[in-house]
Amino acid sequence: MNERIKELADKCYGPNLGGDWDFNEMKFAELIVQDCLAVIEKRMDLGTDERCREECKALIAEIKQQYGVE
């Protein structure tokens, strides 16, 4: 497994109502989507082409809407 995925997975463990520790799949999925969006945003910030930046912004908005991520 990729080291970044392990880092994200480690952030998804927490106590449940019974006091045991559970893995939160929804949080894991959200963290992966946010991480992917960060890659696009980073690339967008490096770009000098206005059209490229606008396309990146549109991709980010579409992905956020598709997955319901803020």
Side-chain angles (χ1 to χ4, degrees):
M1 188 183 316
N2 171 309
E3 193 60 36
R4 182 64 182 143
I5 291 178
K6 289 178 186 177
E7 290 173 15
L8 295 176
D10 287 344
K11 295 179 180 183
C12 298
Y13 285 96
N16 62 22
L17 295 176
D20 294 325
W21 284 75
D22 283 340
F23 184 76
N24 185 329
E25 293 91 356
M26 293 297 290
K27 183 175 182 179
F28 185 56
E30 186 172 326
L31 289 176
I32 290 173
V33 172
Q34 288 174 349
D35 211 50
C36 292
L37 291 172
V39 170
I40 296 170
E41 288 171 349
K42 182 176 169 184
R43 179 64 58 101
M44 180 179 68
D45 291 342
L46 295 174
T48 56
D49 181 335
E50 183 62 31
R51 181 171 174 232
C52 177
R53 284 195 299 273
E54 291 303 316
E55 287 180 18
C56 286
K57 287 179 186 177
L59 279 171
I60 290 168
E62 188 174 336
I63 291 168
K64 284 181 176 182
Q65 182 180 13
Q66 177 76 23
Y67 292 100
V69 174
E70 296 289 324

